[in-house]
Amino acid sequence: MELPRHVIPKKLASGRTAFYYNVPTRYRKAGCPVQNEPLGTDYAKACGEGGRAATLNGLFDEWMDARKGLSVSGEAAPRIGTIDWLFREYRQSRAYLEKVKPRSRRNYEWNMREICDTLTKRGDRVGGRPIKSVTPLGADKLYDTFVKGGNGIRLRTAEKLIVLCRKAWRVVHRLHPAEFPQDIPNPWMGITMATRVKLVKHAVTREPSLHVRTRLRGARRA
């Protein structure tokens, strides 16, 4: 059985073979941010073309290129540690693939693009900024930017973007803690968001239906 780089097999008590992604110790000591992880027992999903091992080795290669001073750019290969990279990692996580329903992913994708393509005062994209550059104060300012939008105030959209940032930061921080500041790993927690006025649906009275039932009972007795 041919295995991708950094993948080791282990025989389970059940007799099945499980696969594990394991970065060599020398790279771990050098600061490699790609974490070891279990890949499961499905060879195709773990080690096949486009499998999880291929994704992790791609991230490993990006880190190696950056370490050598080579250019790593473009949507297909965002620089490790940037917000573009964070959302790519979130999209590849189990939290996204197993918890976000396929019919909801189009909306999630739009929200992630909206966050990453937001321009800072310097004119650069938020997605190109390092994760560690986002402070609680910076998160507050980004919330204000999300609210303003391009076509007027949009409180509901801004709220959804903040909730997504909070979730993606939490998921990816668990997988790659070295890419986040130790003191405040999630700057999106505790943001005070404007209260939206929600429409209240009036309760439907049950009197007509009770009246109808009363008449029906009377008709049956007759």
Side-chain angles (χ1 to χ4, degrees), residues 1-12:
M1 184 181 295
E2 185 176 354
L3 296 176
R5 287 174 298 150
H6 308 148
V7 173
I8 57 175
K10 288 186 180 179
K11 201 78 169 180
L12 302 179

Side-chain angles (χ1 to χ4, degrees), residues 156 195-203:
R156 185 171 183 274
T195 303
R196 294 187 289 114
V197 178
K198 300 180 180 179
L199 296 177
V200 179
K201 294 183 179 180
H202 297 288

Side-chain angles (χ1 to χ4, degrees), residues 48-216:
E49 184 177 354
R52 181 61 178 164
T55 299
L56 294 172
N57 276 327
L59 295 173
F60 176 84
D61 291 339
E62 288 176 24
W63 173 74
M64 286 293 288
D65 287 344
R67 194 162 170 249
K68 295 173 183 176
L70 301 178
S71 176
V72 180
S73 59
E75 291 185 0
R79 185 177 293 278
I80 289 177
T82 62
I83 296 171
D84 282 328
W85 172 81
L86 177 141
F87 280 111
R88 190 184 71 170
E89 282 299 291
Y90 173 63
R91 287 195 298 271
Q92 295 173 347
S93 69
R94 294 178 61 184
Y96 181 81
L97 297 175
E98 297 181 10
K99 297 297 183 181
V100 179
K101 296 180 179 179
R103 66 172 179 268
S104 301
R105 291 179 187 176
R106 184 176 180 181
N107 188 44
Y108 269 69
E109 292 286 344
W110 185 92
N111 290 336
M112 285 185 267
R113 286 196 302 270
E114 187 72 6
I115 295 165
C116 290
D117 290 341
T118 296
L119 298 180
T120 69
K121 290 185 177 181
R122 297 180 181 178
D124 59 326
R125 292 173 61 256
V126 166
R129 288 288 184 90
I131 296 169
K132 293 180 179 179
S133 71
V134 182
T135 63
L137 180 59
D140 284 343
K141 291 180 179 179
L142 281 173
Y143 169 69
D144 293 337
T145 301
F146 295 155
V147 168
K148 293 176 183 177
N151 298 312
I153 301 300
R154 48 176 196 173
L155 294 178
R156 185 171 183 274
T157 296
E159 185 177 310
K160 290 170 64 177
L161 298 183
I162 294 300
V163 170
L164 177 57
C165 286
R166 188 183 302 158
K167 183 185 300 183
W169 248 253
R170 183 180 70 248
V171 170
V172 181
H173 174 262
R174 176 180 170 274
L175 300 173
H176 304 283
E179 300 304 321
F180 295 76
Q182 294 183 358
D183 51 345
I184 306 177
N186 197 331
W188 306 96
M189 299 296 294
I191 290 181
T192 302
M193 293 184 279
T195 303
R196 294 187 289 114
V197 178
K198 300 180 180 179
L199 296 177
V200 179
K201 294 183 179 180
H202 297 288
V204 178
T205 178
R206 299 180 62 190
E207 290 183 1
S209 59
L210 290 172
H211 179 63
V212 170
R213 284 203 294 271
T214 302
R215 291 182 60 185
L216 287 174

